[in-house]
């Protein structure tokens, strides 16, 4: 399923929100922006997918729970992050270039061992080293519920895309408030996230 979520043309964006790995099975809950029908058609053809459930959010986004049997390579890939005291902190983001980005937290020696024992052909790049407060989940937790709603809507609509594909007025229309309210909430949310990241 990794290849589908990371590289399929009908998946615009996919994020693993939570998972359970038991050694013989893997269950993952994803949030996906894309074509649910196309994803279902592909999942039906993957022998390792033993079950799935799709819950639509709107016409272009949905949650999908996927249960896979584990293969040798999958067990080898998960072994470094499922032993000892390491915690993988959601979300796990699938990038368009096929990479997967996530945060891990745990004892230094176990993290080092996990990184060095990831099997080939997987390449590991450490983007940043920090504490638990530096994870995406902790940074998002600094926002109020309203700021989180507005930022998520802005991201979904393309406000942060390059080039930008949505304006503050577009977001305001979608959420039923004024553009000045959107501007204020985005400014405050961005300030909290930047201060949290760089202070």
């Amino acid at each position: 399923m990794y290849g589908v979520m990371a590289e399929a043309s009908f998946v615009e964006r996919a994020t693993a929100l939570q998972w359970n790995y038991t050694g013989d099975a893997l269950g993952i809950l994803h949030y996906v922006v894309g074509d649910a029908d196309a994803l279902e058609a592909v999942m039906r053809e993957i022998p390792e997918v033993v079950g799935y459930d799709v819950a639509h959010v709107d016409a272009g986004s949905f949650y999908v729970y996927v249960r896979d049997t584990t293969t040798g390579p999958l067990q080898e890939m998960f072994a470094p992050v499922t032993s000892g005291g390491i915690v993988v902190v959601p979300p796990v983001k699938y990038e368009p270039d096929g990479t997967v980005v996530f945060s891990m937290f745990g004892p230094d020696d176990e993290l080092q061992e996990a990184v060095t024992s990831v099997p080939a052909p997987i390449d590991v790049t450490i983007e940043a080293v920090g504490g638990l407060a530096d994870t995406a989940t902790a940074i998002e937790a600094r926002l109020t519920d309203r700021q989180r709603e507005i930022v998520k809507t802005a991201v979904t609509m393309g406000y942060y895309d390059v080039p930008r594909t949505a304006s503050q007025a577009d977001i305001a229309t979608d959420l039923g408030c004024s553009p000045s309210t959107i501007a204020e909430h985005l400014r405050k949310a961005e300030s909290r996230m930047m201060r949290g990241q760089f202070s």
Side-chain angles (χ1 to χ4, degrees):
M1 282 303 301
Y2 154 75
V4 175
M5 292 299 185
E7 299 169 348
S9 61
F10 52 81
V11 174
E12 182 179 325
R13 185 173 72 251
T15 303
L17 302 174
Q18 195 55 265
W19 62 91
N20 185 30
Y21 173 75
T22 62
D24 61 347
L26 170 65
I28 304 182
L29 176 64
H30 296 90
Y31 173 74
V32 181
V33 176
D35 185 334
D37 293 335
L39 180 60
E40 285 193 68
V42 168
M43 287 191 297
R44 285 192 293 268
E45 301 300 319
I46 298 175
E48 291 80 15
V49 174
V50 295
Y52 66 87
D53 191 26
V54 175
H56 293 272
V57 175
D58 54 36
S61 62
F62 54 95
Y63 292 97
V64 58
Y65 167 78
V66 182
R67 183 171 170 83
D68 294 330
T69 58
T70 57
T71 60
L74 187 65
Q75 290 171 338
E76 194 177 355
M77 182 177 74
F78 269 86
V81 295
T82 56
S83 60
I86 294 176
V87 176
V88 176
V89 183
V92 175
K93 297 183 180 179
Y94 300 91
E95 300 292 345
D97 64 358
T99 59
V100 177
V101 179
F102 60 92
S103 299
M104 292 192 307
F105 187 78
D108 291 346
D109 58 334
E110 292 185 27
L111 289 170
Q112 183 63 41
E113 174 64 24
V115 168
T116 58
S117 62
V118 171
I122 300 169
D123 291 323
V124 176
T125 301
I126 298 173
E127 293 185 348
V129 176
L132 188 56
D134 298 319
T135 64
T137 303
I139 292 168
E140 183 182 329
R142 294 184 180 111
L143 303 180
T144 66
D145 290 344
R146 184 65 170 156
Q147 288 169 346
R148 191 175 300 108
E149 176 189 22
I150 290 172
V151 168
K152 284 185 176 185
T153 301
V155 169
T156 300
M157 293 182 70
Y159 180 76
Y160 291 105
D161 289 355
V162 179
R164 183 169 283 166
T165 58
S167 66
Q168 291 178 357
D170 296 329
I171 300 164
T173 299
D174 188 73
L175 294 176
C177 59
S178 71
S180 62
T181 298
I182 295 298
E184 180 181 355
H185 280 293
L186 287 176
R187 186 175 60 255
K188 287 180 178 178
E190 290 163 0
S191 174
R192 283 187 181 197
M193 289 189 290
M194 292 301 107
R195 288 179 189 279
Q197 186 68 23
F198 297 107
S199 61

